[in-house]
Amino acid sequence: MRILVTGGAGFIGSHLVRRLLRNGHFVVNLDALKYSGNLANLEDVKSHPHYVFAHGDICDQNLVASLLKEHAQDGVINCAAETHVDRSILDPGAFAKTDVVGTGVLLEEARKAGVSRFLQVSTDEVYGSVESGHSTEDDRLAPRSPYSASKAGGDVLALSYWTTYQFPVVVTRGSNTYGPNQYPEKFIPLFITNAIDDQLLPLYGDGRQRRDWLAVEDHCAGIEHVFLHGQPGEVYNIGGGNERANIDVAEQLLAYLGKPKSLIRLVQDRPGHDRRYAVDCAKLKRLGWRPAVSFERGLKETVEWYRTHESWWRPIKSGEFRAYYEAQYGKRLSGSRGVMG
Ligand code: NAD
Ligand code: TDX
């Protein structure tokens, strides 16, 4: 198929582009190359005969229309988004723009172009904090951060295109994803790269929040599976089945690196911090997908990747990232304490 992937220079998008090319698809990657977009993620496929990169914004209606026309897309997979909860607390406007308005532009242009499949990459965060049990696709959405609220906007806007126009939309709600090439603002790569440098690890609140960790290859396999086999108008959860407390993940990655637990600092919590996410993936399993990577193997390999790819993350951490890190963690770390009190 000829597929327009948006946000393909980011973490999940770059793994997805590589996977789709490997599986024989033709891919046009539209990415605005914002702070987390990085063409180095796709260095190995940049000359692939079935790959085209287009630099631009999903909010640019004319560009989206002309890409769809020029490349006669069979399908669209929308990965492009502002993605970091902490940044959404510092600057919510950018999230509403890309994650809601940008999704709306893509949907409308794809519908007008007669695209035969549209997959919206959403997130388990749209269900909000789940104190017990597991979210199923029919659960009420209750997003609690500007990030998750904006993603919920894009998610339900996509679904409205099926109800209203019978435009064949499918939605995936993936859980916390980890692996190589993840921008080091997110929990796992931030903690690995800080620990490599013997820097403190800023753990929010009591560190007992829980996430269901999903390896990036498993997430991309799920997205591809839903894109090819999902029922139009349906939502599919994707989760790794690896629910862990943040503090346990931090201690596990320190053990893999041979670094001391004393690097962990309990810092002032994220405002509105969701305590727990957990998705029920029975629906996608019935469709034939299963996660293949155990958390222990995936985390170990991810630690190893960051250990051996300093040339990838060091330039990132010394650029724009520094100002962000200071704004996000400067005060927090100065008033922090170790996990032993
Ligand atoms: P990322 O931040 O690494 O990548 C996002 C990409 O989108 C970047 O390449 C960026 O340049 C691009 N982008 C941002 N705004 C754009 C715009 N207006 N036009 C074009 N491109 C734009 O994020 P990620 O972690 O790879 O997330 C990809 C998708 O998966 C997002 O939709 C995110 O909400 C979703 N998701 C992520 C996770 C996770 O744990 N990382 C889990 C579930 C769902
Ligand atoms: O410095 C930190 N300290 C800390 O304790 C950071 C960055 C995070 N945390 C905690 C907050 C969360 O409980 O770790 C957990 C994971 O944090 P993030 O990596 O920021 O992920 P989360 O907020 O759970 O959201 C992620 O999962 C769903 C992604 O960023 C989203 O893009 C995705 O949709």
Side-chain angles (χ1 to χ4, degrees):
M1 286 175 87
R2 300 174 72 85
I3 306 168
L4 176 66
V5 175
T6 68
F11 165 49
I12 297 171
S14 61
H15 286 267
L16 181 68
V17 165
R18 199 172 294 107
R19 178 182 189 90
L20 294 173
L21 289 172
R22 214 168 47 229
N23 291 342
H25 300 284
F26 181 96
V27 177
V28 179
N29 170 17
L30 170 61
D31 196 297
L33 297 181
K34 300 215 178 154
Y35 74 91
S36 64
N38 185 349
L39 286 178
N41 293 343
L42 289 166
E43 190 59 30
D44 54 329
V45 296
K46 70 174 186 204
S47 309
H48 194 291
H50 296 162
Y51 173 70
V52 172
F53 175 67
H55 185 194
D57 198 307
I58 60 166
C59 300
D60 183 340
Q61 196 170 347
N62 292 334
L63 174 64
V64 170
S66 74
L67 283 176
L68 288 169
K69 195 166 168 204
E70 190 183 337
H71 298 285
Q73 300 307 328
D74 299 317
V76 174
I77 301 181
N78 182 24
C79 286
E82 294 290 345
T83 61
H84 192 38
V85 173
D86 291 325
R87 290 193 195 243
S88 82
I89 294 166
L90 298 171
D91 178 20
F95 287 70
K97 185 150 189 275
T98 287
D99 301 5
V100 185
V101 176
T103 300
V105 169
L106 279 176
L107 282 163
E108 188 54 14
E109 292 312 312
R111 181 178 78 90
K112 286 199 284 195
V115 163
S116 56
R117 194 70 150 168
F118 187 108
L119 187 144
Q120 172 67 9
V121 177
S122 186
T123 167
D124 64 352
E125 297 200 20
V126 297
Y127 297 116
S129 193
V130 182
E131 298 310 309
S132 60
H134 292 78
S135 309
T136 65
E137 289 82 353
D138 297 328
D139 283 0
R140 190 175 73 91
L141 303 192
R144 301 172 70 249
S145 73
Y147 165 69
S148 53
S150 303
K151 289 296 293 183
D155 178 318
V156 295
L157 187 57
L159 291 172
S160 80
Y161 267 62
W162 169 248
T163 312
T164 310
Y165 307 109
Q166 286 77 56
F167 180 58
V169 167
V170 280
V171 173
T172 56
R173 295 185 183 144
S175 69
N176 278 67
T177 305
Y178 69 98
N181 308 93
Q182 186 170 28
Y183 192 85
E185 66 190 351
K186 305 276 167 42
F187 175 59
I188 286 183
L190 177 71
F191 276 31
I192 295 173
T193 55
N194 276 14
I196 288 172
D197 282 346
D198 298 308
Q199 300 282 313
L200 297 176
L201 311 187
L203 193 61
Y204 294 152
D206 63 3
R208 300 275 164 203
Q209 301 80 13
R210 301 178 75 80
R211 298 290 185 266
D212 172 4
W213 292 100
L214 173 65
V216 67
E217 307 100 274
D218 282 335
H219 194 161
C220 291
I223 292 171
E224 186 187 26
H225 198 79
V226 171
F227 182 72
L228 295 175
H229 306 293
Q231 286 295 316
E234 292 292 319
V235 178
Y236 297 87
N237 289 338
I238 312 178
N242 300 298
E243 187 182 332
R244 299 283 188 283
N246 291 340
I247 191 159
D248 296 334
V249 175
E251 290 185 357
Q252 198 169 347
L253 65 84
L254 284 170
Y256 289 149
L257 284 164
K259 299 282 184 174
K261 287 183 193 171
S262 57
L263 287 178
I264 300 175
R265 281 288 183 279
L266 294 178
V267 300
Q268 190 197 356
D269 210 350
R270 169 187 282 174
H273 196 170
D274 289 337
R275 194 73 186 162
R276 176 174 176 265
Y277 305 131
V279 283
D280 180 329
C281 300
K283 185 172 174 183
L284 185 51
K285 286 182 177 160
R286 282 197 298 277
L287 199 69
W289 170 91
R290 261 185 179 53
V293 183
S294 76
F295 187 59
E296 285 60 39
R297 170 160 80 86
L299 185 63
K300 205 179 231 171
E301 287 177 2
T302 301
V303 165
E304 200 46 30
W305 189 87
Y306 282 92
R307 243 181 28 76
T308 54
H309 289 77
E310 293 194 6
S311 60
W312 183 87
W313 58 265
R314 285 207 184 278
I316 295 174
K317 281 191 105 173
S318 59
E320 172 271 357
F321 188 82
R322 276 200 181 168
Y324 163 73
Y325 195 82
E326 184 48 36
Q328 182 62 22
Y329 298 105
K331 241 166 85 192
R332 279 189 162 89
L333 280 169
S334 65
S336 68
R337 60 190 174 86
V339 274
M340 305 309 286

